[in-house]
Each structure stands twice: as structure tokens, then as C-alpha cells.
Amino acid sequence: MRKQVEVKKRGKVVIIRFYKRKTYEPERKPSVKRFLRKMKAILFPCRAIEITAEQLEDLILKTFGSDYEYHVLISDEKFRIITKDQMQQLLKEDDTDTLPYIWTYGDCDDFSDVLLGQLTRKTWNQGFAIGQLWYFNPRFGHAVNLFCDGEKIWVVEPQNDRIIEWGSEPDYSGRAFMIKF
């Protein structure tokens, strides 16, 4: 019998993986919108390339390293890749970057949460590899979003919609604290 949760270390990185044993679906009232979404998903399935959780894990370690301790949470057994062009289009349609910055109550972690929610809702049931990163460097701590195009992990700054390669700029480098996909 397969475990539901696996906790392991690769180097100094703690990786937590969830496995689906039995699907849990709470009882829900019938909904015309839900029915139409289900039909659309059946008629027009997502055709994006899939990667396994292990492949995603390898890309995370390649990007952020394994020589220091941080936590990685991988919630599914497989994901679909999303291209940089697809992400740019989603960001163009999203308005998270227009929200006001409010110290403590509407800061980086809140922007990251909102953008992740908006992207997940917009791409519902497509399983794209979209996530979050909390990190710190000598100057500050920060929360941003991530996505995987199958070749690398990209950073998305939710406050201005920039897509950045990790480590290419001083503000987007440092040590990961928590990564969630």
C-alpha cells in the first residue's frame, strides 16, 4: 500500500510529497456552471506536456540548490508545463499587479497568494505547474510566484508581472525558505 505523504531529504532540502489514494469530494449542490465547465473540459482537454513530480523536484533542486535547508511541498503526482508566452498572456489578463501595496496587510505574501489564486482559477483543472516561493537574501525577505516550462523554473513578481530567471538579478536571488507547487 502506498503512503499518502512522503517526507524525504535530498541534500539538506526537505521535500514533502502528497500522493492521492482515494479522491475526496465534499457533497455539493448541483450547479449548471459546474456542469458546463465539466463538459468544456471533456470536449476541449488541455494538451500541454506533462511532467512528473520527480522531474519538477529535480528542476527545483537544480534552480535553488540542495546545499542548504529549505522546504519544498509538491501537492500532485504530475503537472502540466506552462510556457513563458502562456504565462505572459495570463498575466496580461490579470489585474493583481494593480492592487495597492499596504504595509503588513497587502504586502508581498498577499500579492503572491492572490496571483496564485487568480492563475489557478483561470486555468482550473489544467494542472499547470504554478506555485510560490518564499525566500530571503541579505537585504530582505520576499514572496513571489513560480512556474515551470519543463526546462526551468521561472519567477513571477506578482506586484509588476515581471518574469525573471532566478539568480539573474540581486533582488531575485538568495536562499529559498519554502517552495510550494
Side-chain angles (χ1 to χ4, degrees):
M1 185 188 306
R2 200 166 169 176
K3 295 185 274 185
Q4 283 186 280
V5 177
E6 176 186 20
V7 179
K8 64 181 178 180
K9 280 193 125 175
R10 286 190 56 188
K12 294 185 177 184
V13 180
V14 176
I15 297 177
I16 303 163
R17 290 260 322 271
F18 287 100
Y19 296 97
K20 307 290 189 280
R21 246 205 269 163
K22 184 176 133 184
T23 304
Y24 167 73
E25 290 186 42
E27 194 174 316
R28 301 168 82 178
K29 295 177 187 172
S31 162
V32 172
K33 280 184 181 179
R34 194 175 307 116
F35 173 77
L36 292 173
R37 284 183 179 149
K38 194 178 219 176
M39 294 310 299
K40 180 181 174 189
I42 291 168
L43 295 172
F44 305 102
C46 181
R47 299 202 187 322
I49 297 167
E50 288 184 346
I51 61 169
T52 65
E54 289 83 10
Q55 292 170 310
L56 181 61
E57 187 180 304
D58 289 343
L59 285 171
I60 290 168
L61 295 176
K62 180 181 170 188
T63 304
F64 299 97
S66 61
D67 59 340
Y68 65 97
E69 190 169 332
Y70 60 98
H71 291 79
V72 175
L73 174 63
I74 298 177
S75 62
D76 293 311
E77 295 181 46
K78 60 185 176 180
F79 296 86
R80 290 191 173 113
I81 65 166
I82 181 166
T83 67
K84 195 173 176 183
D85 288 340
Q86 288 171 314
M87 180 57 74
Q88 286 172 327
Q89 184 60 40
L90 287 170
L91 292 170
K92 189 190 291 185
E93 296 168 7
D94 177 71
D95 69 348
T96 301
D97 59 316
T98 67
L99 297 171
Y101 182 93
I102 302 167
W103 180 257
T104 303
Y105 303 111
D107 56 4
C108 64
D109 60 298
D110 302 298
F111 274 90
S112 180
D113 287 341
V114 169
L115 183 60
L116 182 60
Q118 296 286 61
L119 294 174
T120 301
R121 183 160 176 86
K122 186 80 174 168
T123 63
W124 183 251
N125 92 348
Q126 304 203 14
F128 288 127
I130 300 172
Q132 288 181 301
L133 162 68
W134 289 37
Y135 70 97
F136 59 95
N137 62 33
R139 294 184 4 192
F140 58 89
H142 197 38
V144 292
N145 296 94
L146 301 171
F147 72 94
C148 177
D149 69 1
E151 300 292 320
K152 63 172 64 172
I153 306 289
W154 292 93
V155 173
V156 177
E157 173 55 69
Q159 295 179 60
N160 62 22
D161 289 349
R162 286 187 59 221
I163 297 174
I164 306 121
E165 189 172 342
W166 178 253
S168 65
E169 298 179 20
D171 286 351
Y172 301 96
S173 63
R175 290 182 171 250
F177 174 73
M178 187 273 305
I179 295 173
K180 172 187 164 273
F181 273 97

mmCIF file of all heavy atoms in Angstrom, residues 81-114:
data_model
loop_
_atom_site.group_PDB
_atom_site.id
_atom_site.type_symbol
_atom_site.label_atom_id
_atom_site.label_comp_id
_atom_site.label_asym_id
_atom_site.label_seq_id
_atom_site.Cartn_x
_atom_site.Cartn_y
_atom_site.Cartn_z
ATOM 1 N N ILE A 81 3.180 21.518 -18.009
ATOM 2 C CA ILE A 81 4.057 22.683 -18.135
ATOM 3 C C ILE A 81 3.263 23.846 -18.722
ATOM 4 O O ILE A 81 2.253 23.657 -19.396
ATOM 5 C CB ILE A 81 5.304 22.376 -18.990
ATOM 6 C CG1 ILE A 81 4.920 22.080 -20.437
ATOM 7 C CG2 ILE A 81 6.111 21.255 -18.380
ATOM 8 C CD1 ILE A 81 6.088 22.109 -21.384
ATOM 9 N N ILE A 82 3.741 25.035 -18.431
ATOM 10 C CA ILE A 82 3.136 26.243 -18.990
ATOM 11 C C ILE A 82 4.267 27.076 -19.574
ATOM 12 O O ILE A 82 5.293 27.281 -18.926
ATOM 13 C CB ILE A 82 2.311 27.021 -17.929
ATOM 14 C CG1 ILE A 82 1.661 28.258 -18.544
ATOM 15 C CG2 ILE A 82 3.137 27.342 -16.702
ATOM 16 C CD1 ILE A 82 0.588 28.887 -17.677
ATOM 17 N N THR A 83 4.123 27.498 -20.816
ATOM 18 C CA THR A 83 5.192 28.237 -21.480
ATOM 19 C C THR A 83 5.255 29.680 -20.968
ATOM 20 O O THR A 83 4.278 30.190 -20.395
ATOM 21 C CB THR A 83 4.995 28.262 -23.005
ATOM 22 O OG1 THR A 83 3.825 29.039 -23.308
ATOM 23 C CG2 THR A 83 4.866 26.854 -23.575
ATOM 24 N N LYS A 84 6.371 30.296 -21.212
ATOM 25 C CA LYS A 84 6.543 31.703 -20.822
ATOM 26 C C LYS A 84 5.510 32.581 -21.545
ATOM 27 O O LYS A 84 4.942 33.485 -20.944
ATOM 28 C CB LYS A 84 7.976 32.139 -21.159
ATOM 29 C CG LYS A 84 8.402 33.405 -20.512
ATOM 30 C CD LYS A 84 9.883 33.648 -20.768
ATOM 31 C CE LYS A 84 10.310 34.970 -20.201
ATOM 32 N NZ LYS A 84 11.712 35.275 -20.496
ATOM 33 N N ASP A 85 5.259 32.305 -22.826
ATOM 34 C CA ASP A 85 4.259 33.074 -23.577
ATOM 35 C C ASP A 85 2.858 32.902 -22.990
ATOM 36 O O ASP A 85 2.104 33.869 -22.876
ATOM 37 C CB ASP A 85 4.238 32.650 -25.048
ATOM 38 C CG ASP A 85 5.469 33.119 -25.807
ATOM 39 O OD1 ASP A 85 6.153 34.060 -25.339
ATOM 40 O OD2 ASP A 85 5.750 32.537 -26.872
ATOM 41 N N GLN A 86 2.510 31.664 -22.609
ATOM 42 C CA GLN A 86 1.206 31.434 -21.988
ATOM 43 C C GLN A 86 1.097 32.192 -20.672
ATOM 44 O O GLN A 86 0.051 32.782 -20.373
ATOM 45 C CB GLN A 86 0.986 29.938 -21.747
ATOM 46 C CG GLN A 86 0.729 29.136 -22.994
ATOM 47 C CD GLN A 86 0.735 27.642 -22.715
ATOM 48 O OE1 GLN A 86 1.615 27.125 -22.031
ATOM 49 N NE2 GLN A 86 -0.255 26.946 -23.248
ATOM 50 N N MET A 87 2.172 32.171 -19.882
ATOM 51 C CA MET A 87 2.151 32.886 -18.605
ATOM 52 C C MET A 87 2.021 34.391 -18.839
ATOM 53 O O MET A 87 1.257 35.069 -18.150
ATOM 54 C CB MET A 87 3.397 32.563 -17.780
ATOM 55 C CG MET A 87 3.431 33.274 -16.432
ATOM 56 S SD MET A 87 2.003 32.957 -15.358
ATOM 57 C CE MET A 87 2.333 31.302 -14.813
ATOM 58 N N GLN A 88 2.754 34.926 -19.807
ATOM 59 C CA GLN A 88 2.645 36.357 -20.095
ATOM 60 C C GLN A 88 1.223 36.735 -20.484
ATOM 61 O O GLN A 88 0.727 37.787 -20.076
ATOM 62 C CB GLN A 88 3.638 36.749 -21.201
ATOM 63 C CG GLN A 88 5.065 36.790 -20.711
ATOM 64 C CD GLN A 88 6.077 36.984 -21.822
ATOM 65 O OE1 GLN A 88 5.896 36.534 -22.946
ATOM 66 N NE2 GLN A 88 7.180 37.655 -21.482
ATOM 67 N N GLN A 89 0.557 35.885 -21.252
ATOM 68 C CA GLN A 89 -0.829 36.153 -21.635
ATOM 69 C C GLN A 89 -1.743 36.145 -20.417
ATOM 70 O O GLN A 89 -2.602 37.017 -20.260
ATOM 71 C CB GLN A 89 -1.305 35.139 -22.676
ATOM 72 C CG GLN A 89 -2.690 35.405 -23.200
ATOM 73 C CD GLN A 89 -2.827 36.759 -23.875
ATOM 74 O OE1 GLN A 89 -1.939 37.196 -24.601
ATOM 75 N NE2 GLN A 89 -3.926 37.449 -23.616
ATOM 76 N N LEU A 90 -1.555 35.162 -19.528
ATOM 77 C CA LEU A 90 -2.371 35.110 -18.305
ATOM 78 C C LEU A 90 -2.140 36.346 -17.445
ATOM 79 O O LEU A 90 -3.082 36.905 -16.875
ATOM 80 C CB LEU A 90 -2.052 33.857 -17.502
ATOM 81 C CG LEU A 90 -2.582 32.536 -18.062
ATOM 82 C CD1 LEU A 90 -1.983 31.358 -17.301
ATOM 83 C CD2 LEU A 90 -4.099 32.500 -18.004
ATOM 84 N N LEU A 91 -0.887 36.777 -17.341
ATOM 85 C CA LEU A 91 -0.567 37.958 -16.535
ATOM 86 C C LEU A 91 -1.161 39.223 -17.147
ATOM 87 O O LEU A 91 -1.595 40.122 -16.424
ATOM 88 C CB LEU A 91 0.949 38.107 -16.378
ATOM 89 C CG LEU A 91 1.629 37.021 -15.540
ATOM 90 C CD1 LEU A 91 3.148 37.139 -15.650
ATOM 91 C CD2 LEU A 91 1.178 37.083 -14.092
ATOM 92 N N LYS A 92 -1.195 39.291 -18.468
ATOM 93 C CA LYS A 92 -1.776 40.445 -19.150
ATOM 94 C C LYS A 92 -3.269 40.557 -18.835
ATOM 95 O O LYS A 92 -3.807 41.653 -18.680
ATOM 96 C CB LYS A 92 -1.567 40.319 -20.658
ATOM 97 C CG LYS A 92 -1.944 41.570 -21.436
ATOM 98 C CD LYS A 92 -1.956 41.356 -22.930
ATOM 99 C CE LYS A 92 -0.592 41.137 -23.511
ATOM 100 N NZ LYS A 92 -0.612 41.057 -24.991
ATOM 101 N N GLU A 93 -3.943 39.405 -18.706
ATOM 102 C CA GLU A 93 -5.380 39.376 -18.422
ATOM 103 C C GLU A 93 -5.697 39.550 -16.942
ATOM 104 O O GLU A 93 -6.847 39.767 -16.576
ATOM 105 C CB GLU A 93 -5.968 38.049 -18.909
ATOM 106 C CG GLU A 93 -5.880 37.853 -20.403
ATOM 107 C CD GLU A 93 -6.187 36.429 -20.841
ATOM 108 O OE1 GLU A 93 -6.612 35.612 -19.988
ATOM 109 O OE2 GLU A 93 -5.998 36.135 -22.033
ATOM 110 N N ASP A 94 -4.690 39.452 -16.081
ATOM 111 C CA ASP A 94 -4.880 39.514 -14.632
ATOM 112 C C ASP A 94 -4.609 40.935 -14.133
ATOM 113 O O ASP A 94 -3.790 41.651 -14.692
ATOM 114 C CB ASP A 94 -3.916 38.525 -13.959
ATOM 115 C CG ASP A 94 -4.015 38.598 -12.459
ATOM 116 O OD1 ASP A 94 -5.045 38.159 -11.912
ATOM 117 O OD2 ASP A 94 -3.080 39.123 -11.833
ATOM 118 N N ASP A 95 -5.283 41.323 -13.042
ATOM 119 C CA ASP A 95 -5.085 42.676 -12.513
ATOM 120 C C ASP A 95 -4.474 42.704 -11.115
ATOM 121 O O ASP A 95 -4.520 43.730 -10.436
ATOM 122 C CB ASP A 95 -6.400 43.454 -12.530
ATOM 123 C CG ASP A 95 -7.416 42.922 -11.532
ATOM 124 O OD1 ASP A 95 -7.219 41.819 -10.975
ATOM 125 O OD2 ASP A 95 -8.414 43.618 -11.296
ATOM 126 N N THR A 96 -3.872 41.601 -10.668
ATOM 127 C CA THR A 96 -3.276 41.571 -9.331
ATOM 128 C C THR A 96 -2.257 42.676 -9.149
ATOM 129 O O THR A 96 -2.174 43.302 -8.089
ATOM 130 C CB THR A 96 -2.620 40.197 -9.061
ATOM 131 O OG1 THR A 96 -3.619 39.180 -9.189
ATOM 132 C CG2 THR A 96 -2.003 40.128 -7.682
ATOM 133 N N ASP A 97 -1.494 42.966 -10.196
ATOM 134 C CA ASP A 97 -0.450 43.993 -10.110
ATOM 135 C C ASP A 97 -1.003 45.398 -9.905
ATOM 136 O O ASP A 97 -0.257 46.313 -9.552
ATOM 137 C CB ASP A 97 0.453 43.957 -11.344
ATOM 138 C CG ASP A 97 -0.303 44.176 -12.639
ATOM 139 O OD1 ASP A 97 -1.396 43.578 -12.820
ATOM 140 O OD2 ASP A 97 0.179 44.953 -13.484
ATOM 141 N N THR A 98 -2.311 45.597 -10.075
ATOM 142 C CA THR A 98 -2.900 46.928 -9.883
ATOM 143 C C THR A 98 -3.365 47.165 -8.445
ATOM 144 O O THR A 98 -3.753 48.281 -8.099
ATOM 145 C CB THR A 98 -4.105 47.146 -10.820
ATOM 146 O OG1 THR A 98 -5.166 46.264 -10.441
ATOM 147 C CG2 THR A 98 -3.719 46.919 -12.271
ATOM 148 N N LEU A 99 -3.337 46.119 -7.621
ATOM 149 C CA LEU A 99 -3.753 46.276 -6.220
ATOM 150 C C LEU A 99 -2.767 47.183 -5.484
ATOM 151 O O LEU A 99 -1.566 47.153 -5.771
ATOM 152 C CB LEU A 99 -3.820 44.913 -5.526
ATOM 153 C CG LEU A 99 -4.837 43.922 -6.076
ATOM 154 C CD1 LEU A 99 -4.644 42.544 -5.458
ATOM 155 C CD2 LEU A 99 -6.245 44.437 -5.843
ATOM 156 N N PRO A 100 -3.237 47.974 -4.520
ATOM 157 C CA PRO A 100 -2.315 48.837 -3.786
ATOM 158 C C PRO A 100 -1.464 48.037 -2.797
ATOM 159 O O PRO A 100 -1.940 47.071 -2.191
ATOM 160 C CB PRO A 100 -3.241 49.802 -3.044
ATOM 161 C CG PRO A 100 -4.514 49.035 -2.867
ATOM 162 C CD PRO A 100 -4.625 48.135 -4.073
ATOM 163 N N TYR A 101 -0.221 48.429 -2.667
ATOM 164 C CA TYR A 101 0.649 47.833 -1.661
ATOM 165 C C TYR A 101 0.294 48.450 -0.317
ATOM 166 O O TYR A 101 0.249 49.666 -0.182
ATOM 167 C CB TYR A 101 2.122 48.108 -1.997
ATOM 168 C CG TYR A 101 3.082 47.469 -1.023
ATOM 169 C CD1 TYR A 101 3.606 46.213 -1.275
ATOM 170 C CD2 TYR A 101 3.454 48.114 0.149
ATOM 171 C CE1 TYR A 101 4.479 45.608 -0.383
ATOM 172 C CE2 TYR A 101 4.320 47.520 1.050
ATOM 173 C CZ TYR A 101 4.832 46.271 0.778
ATOM 174 O OH TYR A 101 5.698 45.671 1.662
ATOM 175 N N ILE A 102 -0.008 47.608 0.670
ATOM 176 C CA ILE A 102 -0.350 48.086 2.005
ATOM 177 C C ILE A 102 0.553 47.360 2.990
ATOM 178 O O ILE A 102 0.487 46.131 3.106
ATOM 179 C CB ILE A 102 -1.836 47.824 2.345
ATOM 180 C CG1 ILE A 102 -2.742 48.498 1.312
ATOM 181 C CG2 ILE A 102 -2.169 48.291 3.754
ATOM 182 C CD1 ILE A 102 -4.178 48.048 1.365
ATOM 183 N N TRP A 103 1.410 48.096 3.663
ATOM 184 C CA TRP A 103 2.364 47.522 4.599
ATOM 185 C C TRP A 103 1.677 46.538 5.539
ATOM 186 O O TRP A 103 0.630 46.850 6.095
ATOM 187 C CB TRP A 103 3.053 48.645 5.378
ATOM 188 C CG TRP A 103 4.053 48.155 6.356
ATOM 189 C CD1 TRP A 103 3.897 48.071 7.697
ATOM 190 C CD2 TRP A 103 5.353 47.660 6.085
ATOM 191 N NE1 TRP A 103 5.011 47.553 8.282
ATOM 192 C CE2 TRP A 103 5.931 47.289 7.301
ATOM 193 C CE3 TRP A 103 6.085 47.468 4.916
ATOM 194 C CZ2 TRP A 103 7.212 46.758 7.386
ATOM 195 C CZ3 TRP A 103 7.357 46.950 5.009
ATOM 196 C CH2 TRP A 103 7.904 46.605 6.241
ATOM 197 N N THR A 104 2.192 45.365 5.677
ATOM 198 C CA THR A 104 1.733 44.268 6.527
ATOM 199 C C THR A 104 0.454 43.604 6.016
ATOM 200 O O THR A 104 0.370 42.391 5.983
ATOM 201 C CB THR A 104 1.536 44.708 7.994
ATOM 202 O OG1 THR A 104 2.756 45.250 8.465
ATOM 203 C CG2 THR A 104 1.121 43.548 8.870
ATOM 204 N N TYR A 105 -0.556 44.352 5.602
ATOM 205 C CA TYR A 105 -1.850 43.775 5.246
ATOM 206 C C TYR A 105 -2.002 43.474 3.759
ATOM 207 O O TYR A 105 -2.840 42.663 3.382
ATOM 208 C CB TYR A 105 -2.983 44.693 5.694
ATOM 209 C CG TYR A 105 -2.927 44.978 7.164
ATOM 210 C CD1 TYR A 105 -2.602 46.232 7.636
ATOM 211 C CD2 TYR A 105 -3.151 43.960 8.082
ATOM 212 C CE1 TYR A 105 -2.529 46.490 8.993
ATOM 213 C CE2 TYR A 105 -3.076 44.208 9.444
ATOM 214 C CZ TYR A 105 -2.764 45.470 9.889
ATOM 215 O OH TYR A 105 -2.687 45.701 11.230
ATOM 216 N N GLY A 106 -1.249 44.100 2.924
ATOM 217 C CA GLY A 106 -1.330 43.889 1.473
ATOM 218 C C GLY A 106 0.066 43.934 0.894
ATOM 219 O O GLY A 106 0.341 44.713 -0.013
ATOM 220 N N ASP A 107 0.953 43.114 1.451
ATOM 221 C CA ASP A 107 2.355 43.142 1.009
ATOM 222 C C ASP A 107 2.670 41.928 0.147
ATOM 223 O O ASP A 107 1.766 41.289 -0.388
ATOM 224 C CB ASP A 107 3.295 43.290 2.203
ATOM 225 C CG ASP A 107 3.102 42.211 3.255
ATOM 226 O OD1 ASP A 107 2.284 41.288 3.045
ATOM 227 O OD2 ASP A 107 3.787 42.285 4.291
ATOM 228 N N CYS A 108 3.947 41.588 0.024
ATOM 229 C CA CYS A 108 4.374 40.600 -0.969
ATOM 230 C C CYS A 108 3.707 39.240 -0.831
ATOM 231 O O CYS A 108 3.316 38.627 -1.832
ATOM 232 C CB CYS A 108 5.892 40.463 -0.977
ATOM 233 S SG CYS A 108 6.604 39.823 0.555
ATOM 234 N N ASP A 109 3.548 38.731 0.376
ATOM 235 C CA ASP A 109 2.923 37.413 0.522
ATOM 236 C C ASP A 109 1.459 37.450 0.102
ATOM 237 O O ASP A 109 0.942 36.487 -0.469
ATOM 238 C CB ASP A 109 3.071 36.870 1.949
ATOM 239 C CG ASP A 109 2.428 37.755 2.988
ATOM 240 O OD1 ASP A 109 2.863 38.920 3.138
ATOM 241 O OD2 ASP A 109 1.492 37.300 3.666
ATOM 242 N N ASP A 110 0.784 38.572 0.345
ATOM 243 C CA ASP A 110 -0.617 38.707 -0.062
ATOM 244 C C ASP A 110 -0.735 38.789 -1.584
ATOM 245 O O ASP A 110 -1.630 38.175 -2.175
ATOM 246 C CB ASP A 110 -1.241 39.937 0.606
ATOM 247 C CG ASP A 110 -1.146 39.854 2.115
ATOM 248 O OD1 ASP A 110 -1.727 38.914 2.688
ATOM 249 O OD2 ASP A 110 -0.450 40.698 2.715
ATOM 250 N N PHE A 111 0.171 39.539 -2.223
ATOM 251 C CA PHE A 111 0.185 39.595 -3.686
ATOM 252 C C PHE A 111 0.406 38.199 -4.261
ATOM 253 O O PHE A 111 -0.270 37.787 -5.210
ATOM 254 C CB PHE A 111 1.289 40.541 -4.189
ATOM 255 C CG PHE A 111 0.884 41.976 -4.273
ATOM 256 C CD1 PHE A 111 1.067 42.824 -3.197
ATOM 257 C CD2 PHE A 111 0.329 42.500 -5.427
ATOM 258 C CE1 PHE A 111 0.711 44.162 -3.269
ATOM 259 C CE2 PHE A 111 -0.036 43.838 -5.521
ATOM 260 C CZ PHE A 111 0.150 44.671 -4.428
ATOM 261 N N SER A 112 1.351 37.463 -3.696
ATOM 262 C CA SER A 112 1.659 36.118 -4.173
ATOM 263 C C SER A 112 0.465 35.176 -4.003
ATOM 264 O O SER A 112 0.147 34.394 -4.902
ATOM 265 C CB SER A 112 2.884 35.575 -3.433
ATOM 266 O OG SER A 112 3.190 34.285 -3.866
ATOM 267 N N ASP A 113 -0.216 35.267 -2.867
ATOM 268 C CA ASP A 113 -1.411 34.444 -2.644
ATOM 269 C C ASP A 113 -2.511 34.772 -3.643
ATOM 270 O O ASP A 113 -3.146 33.880 -4.206
ATOM 271 C CB ASP A 113 -1.954 34.653 -1.225
ATOM 272 C CG ASP A 113 -1.106 34.017 -0.143
ATOM 273 O OD1 ASP A 113 -0.294 33.121 -0.456
ATOM 274 O OD2 ASP A 113 -1.258 34.412 1.029
ATOM 275 N N VAL A 114 -2.751 36.068 -3.860
ATOM 276 C CA VAL A 114 -3.811 36.492 -4.778
ATOM 277 C C VAL A 114 -3.496 36.027 -6.196
ATOM 278 O O VAL A 114 -4.361 35.450 -6.876
ATOM 279 C CB VAL A 114 -4.023 38.025 -4.739
ATOM 280 C CG1 VAL A 114 -4.921 38.493 -5.872
ATOM 281 C CG2 VAL A 114 -4.605 38.445 -3.395
#
